[in-house]
Structures are given as C-alpha cells and as structure tokens.
C-alpha cells in the first residue's frame, strides 16, 4: 500500500525546492557581480609614476591648442569631457578640418589599458599621447617646433622643471605629462556599482534581467568583462566597412577587420558607436550583435545569432545604461604664457 502524500507536504517540498533554486540563482548572480567590482587604486607605471606636478602639466597640455600646427586643435577637441571624452561625431575631424577614417575612442579609464588606438598600434599611453600630435591628418605638429614653442613660454619652462627636474621640455616628457593626466580620467561610480555593492534599489528590474542576459544568452561578457567591461583584446565583430584594423599592424589573417573592444563605462553618452561611428544608438548596437553582422573568415567565433526577443533587447539596453556615472565637471585650465 502506497503512503499518502498530503497537500501540505507537497506545498512544503515545492517551497523548499523553489527556495533552493532561488539561492542557487542568487549565488550565481553574486559570482557574476564580483567579476565587475571597481578597483580601489589607479595604476601608474614605474617609469612614469604619478606626481601632482605631472598631472597638472599634463592637463595644461591636453587643453592647449599650441600642440597643433595651426594652434587651433587640442587633445580635448576630439576627447571632449562633455561627451564622456569622445566628440559625438561619426568620425574625427583633424587639421585642416579634414575628416578622419575612424570614430574617436574615449580616454576614460585608460590607466588600465594595455594597447592603444582602435588597432592597438601603441604599446603605452605615453606613446599614444604623442601620436595624434604628430599625425599629419590630426594635429600635424612637428615635435621640434613644438618644443621650441613651449620653451618660449616661461610658465611652461617652470612647470616642466617642477614635473621633471633637470630634464626640462622634451618630447618624451610631453608624452609622460599627458599620459599622467589621462590616467587620472576615471569614470565615477555608476548605479551598477552601487547595485553590486548591495543596494538593490540602485537599478530596476529590467536592468537586473539585462545583467543576467549580458552574462548568459547575449554573450556580451565574453569580450566586455571586468570592471571596465573590456577584455582589451581585438575582434572582428562583422562591421561591413573595408577597414582591416589590427591586421594593418600585425599582418595576420585572423586579425582582419579586428578592433579593440571598447569599455562600456558611460557608454550612453558616447554615441555614435563602433570604430567607424556607423551605429547611432545602443538599440542599433544590440541589433547588430543579435543578427546584423557580416559573416566572413575572420569573424570572431563569439559572433553568433542570439535570437533575442524584443523584451530581452530592451532589458539589455536598460542594463547597459546603468554603467553611466554622474562624473564631476571638468574645469578648463588657465594656460601659461
């Protein structure tokens, strides 16, 4: 004779099972959150350690049009703090008002970077800082002429001596000063950060579902991982332009059309998107990853049709928007003369 199972027992077992599943889901969510916790300190390289004098000088140089040949373009012309350190244009504008081939990448959180520019052609932030100054289509400045121009400014002579005692104004020190300032450009805490620290009200239910999708079905975290949401690596994500990206640097077939994974901090303020500025909204970006990419031999293996529903796409965008922080307003420096 079979033992009778009461309705109360069935309810009890169901509740226990639901509780166990909920606990497992919460544990998985907690583990996922741990992988995105912010660092506590900004890393500076041993060969260019932080000093206040270098950071102040670097900020002066970053906003000084004298770094360009025509004295009309600054680093901030493209890396504008009002647009999360981009410029809100499809592709950058150089001198003399020439349209460049790629979208301006942000300088947010580059202190944690490994290779720089969309194609990774610079191995240090110091090297990267000098690149646009000299590039013919960008600031088009001759470094020797720039050094002579800065040496004619007594304020700069004093500032370089304070930042680099007994070294003075050199191309290397210009790069070091700008790189030091750029490393201090760090996004502030966003609603997402408050959520992973325990404030369950910091983001809404749609964003929480989006975070789950980001790490599972949508596969975003395969490349956009860590606190800055980038693996700092290079991938062909199936954009349809002819730019071959990292391949032009290393001449390796698998790297054709590959570009550096951008971090997602403050991404809501950084439209348009992609290395060519071809996608105007985050919704368009999600559609691209869902099924809108070009299939070719170099396409990243991570690029697969996702079959996201309309609601899932909405939730994913809702999550991504929680990565934007209310950063302090940047004051313009009074330049030396």
């Amino acid at each position: 004779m079979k033992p009778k199972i009461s309705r109360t027992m069935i309810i009890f077992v169901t509740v226990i099972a639901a509780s166990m599943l909920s606990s497992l889901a919460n544990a998985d969510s907690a583990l996922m959150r741990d992988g995105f916790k912010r660092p506590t300190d900004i890393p500076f390289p041993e060969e260019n350690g932080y000093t206040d004098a270098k950071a102040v000088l670097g900020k002066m140089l970053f906003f000084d049009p004298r770094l360009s040949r025509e004295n009309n373009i600054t680093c901030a012309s493209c890396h504008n703090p009002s647009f999360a350190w981009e410029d809100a244009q499809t592709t950058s504008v150089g001198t003399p008002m020439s349209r460049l081939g790629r979208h301006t990448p942000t300088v947010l959180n580059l202190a944690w970077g490994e290779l720089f520019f969309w194609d990774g052609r610079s191995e240090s932030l110091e090297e990267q800082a000098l690149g646009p100054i000299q590039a013919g289509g960008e600031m088009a400045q001759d470094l020797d002429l720039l050094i002579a121009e800065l040496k004619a400014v007594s304020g700069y002579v004093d500032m370089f001596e304070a930042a680099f005692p007994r070294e003075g104004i050199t191309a290397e020190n210009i790069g070091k000063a700008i790189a030091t300032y750029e490393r201090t450009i760090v996004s502030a805490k966003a609603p997402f950060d408050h959520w992973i620290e325990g404030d369950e009200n910091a983001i809404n239910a749609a964003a929480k579902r989006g975070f789950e999708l980001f790490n599972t079905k949508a596969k975003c975290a395969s490349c956009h991982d860590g606190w800055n949401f980038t693996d700092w690596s290079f991938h062909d994500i199936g954009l349809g332009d002819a730019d071959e990206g990292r391949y032009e640097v290393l001449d390796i077939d698998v790297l054709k059309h590959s570009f550096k994974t951008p971090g997602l901090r403050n991404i809501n303020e950084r439209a348009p998107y992609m290395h060519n500025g071809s996608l105007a909204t985050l919704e368009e970006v999600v559609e691209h990853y869902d099924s809108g990419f070009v299939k070719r031999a170099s396409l990243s293996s991570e690029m697969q049709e996702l079959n996201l529903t309309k609601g899932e796409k909405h939730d994913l965008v809702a999550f991504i928007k929680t990565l934007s922080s209310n950063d302090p307003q940047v004051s313009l420096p009074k330049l030396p003369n």
Side-chain angles (χ1 to χ4, degrees):
M1 179 171 148
K2 294 182 179 179
K4 290 184 178 180
I5 301 175
S6 69
R7 184 172 182 274
T8 301
M9 180 61 74
I10 293 172
I11 293 173
F12 175 75
V13 171
T14 302
V15 169
I16 292 296
S19 177
M20 290 176 65
L21 289 172
S22 177
S23 295
L24 288 171
N26 289 337
D28 287 343
S29 179
L31 285 173
M32 285 190 290
R33 295 190 211 185
D34 285 345
F36 295 98
K37 286 185 176 178
R38 295 174 62 91
T40 56
D41 300 300
I42 301 173
F44 289 87
E46 185 177 344
E47 62 274 15
N48 188 24
Y50 177 85
T51 67
D52 287 343
K54 269 193 273 189
V56 170
L57 172 59
K59 183 176 182 179
M60 293 283 186
L61 295 169
F62 193 91
F63 287 94
D64 195 333
R66 285 174 286 201
L67 269 65
S68 64
R69 183 185 66 194
E70 303 296 333
N71 293 337
N72 63 346
I73 295 177
T74 72
C75 301
S77 297
C78 290
H79 301 289
N80 189 329
S82 296
F83 298 108
W85 303 91
E86 296 189 6
D87 61 8
Q89 300 193 64
T90 302
T91 57
S92 310
V93 174
T95 187
M97 299 308 293
S98 57
R99 182 66 65 175
L100 304 179
R102 293 175 181 167
H103 177 68
T104 299
T106 186
V107 296
L108 267 176
N109 305 326
L110 288 188
W112 289 266
E114 298 172 4
L115 295 172
F116 303 91
F117 294 110
W118 279 109
D119 55 18
R121 63 185 180 273
S122 286
E123 296 185 356
S124 73
L125 199 49
E126 287 75 11
E127 180 184 344
Q128 181 277 327
L130 292 175
I133 296 174
Q134 303 172 82
E138 297 185 54
M139 298 169 82
Q141 178 65 283
D142 180 281
L143 287 181
D144 289 335
L145 293 178
L146 173 60
I147 290 168
E149 189 172 359
L150 296 180
K151 283 183 176 180
V153 180
S154 60
Y156 268 133
V157 173
D158 293 340
M159 293 183 73
F160 271 90
E161 180 59 29
F164 304 99
R166 297 175 300 281
E167 294 181 17
I169 302 175
T170 66
E172 181 181 8
N173 289 342
I174 291 170
K176 283 185 173 182
I178 295 173
T180 298
Y181 172 62
E182 288 182 334
R183 288 189 176 98
T184 69
I185 301 172
V186 179
S187 57
K189 280 189 177 182
F192 171 77
D193 298 303
H194 294 293
W195 178 58
I196 63 173
E197 289 175 355
D199 182 358
E200 288 298 325
N201 296 318
I203 66 176
N204 62 26
K208 292 175 185 178
R209 293 192 300 268
F211 176 69
E212 182 78 20
L213 286 163
F214 188 91
N215 286 278
T216 55
K217 181 179 178 180
K219 301 181 179 180
C220 308
S222 298
C223 299
H224 294 284
D225 62 352
W227 85 276
N228 197 34
F229 294 84
T230 174
D231 59 3
W232 301 104
S233 190
F234 301 84
H235 308 274
D236 175 5
I237 60 168
L239 289 169
D241 65 344
D243 193 335
E244 293 189 315
R246 185 74 171 150
Y247 174 77
E248 296 175 3
V249 178
L250 292 184
D251 193 20
I252 299 173
D253 284 347
V254 73
L255 294 177
K256 283 185 177 180
H257 308 288
S258 292
F259 295 88
K260 186 170 67 174
T261 305
L264 299 183
R265 291 286 177 168
N266 293 27
I267 193 70
N268 195 40
E269 304 164 31
R270 290 162 45 197
Y273 303 106
M274 307 303 189
H275 73 270
N276 57 7
S278 60
L279 302 181
T281 67
L282 290 173
E283 287 77 10
E284 288 183 16
V285 173
V286 171
E287 290 293 341
H288 170 81
Y289 281 106
D290 187 45
S291 60
F293 46 87
V294 175
K295 297 178 181 178
R296 54 195 171 208
S298 58
L299 184 70
S300 170
S301 61
E302 303 294 341
M303 295 297 295
Q304 301 172 10
E305 293 188 10
L306 301 174
N307 298 312
L308 297 173
T309 67
K310 183 177 180 180
E312 286 172 334
K313 293 173 184 178
H314 170 270
D315 291 348
L316 198 55
V317 171
F319 162 65
I320 294 170
K321 288 181 177 180
T322 72
L323 304 179
S324 289
S325 53
N326 186 19
D327 294 354
Q329 185 173 344
V330 177
S331 62
L332 295 180
K334 183 178 180 181
L335 301 177
N337 51 41

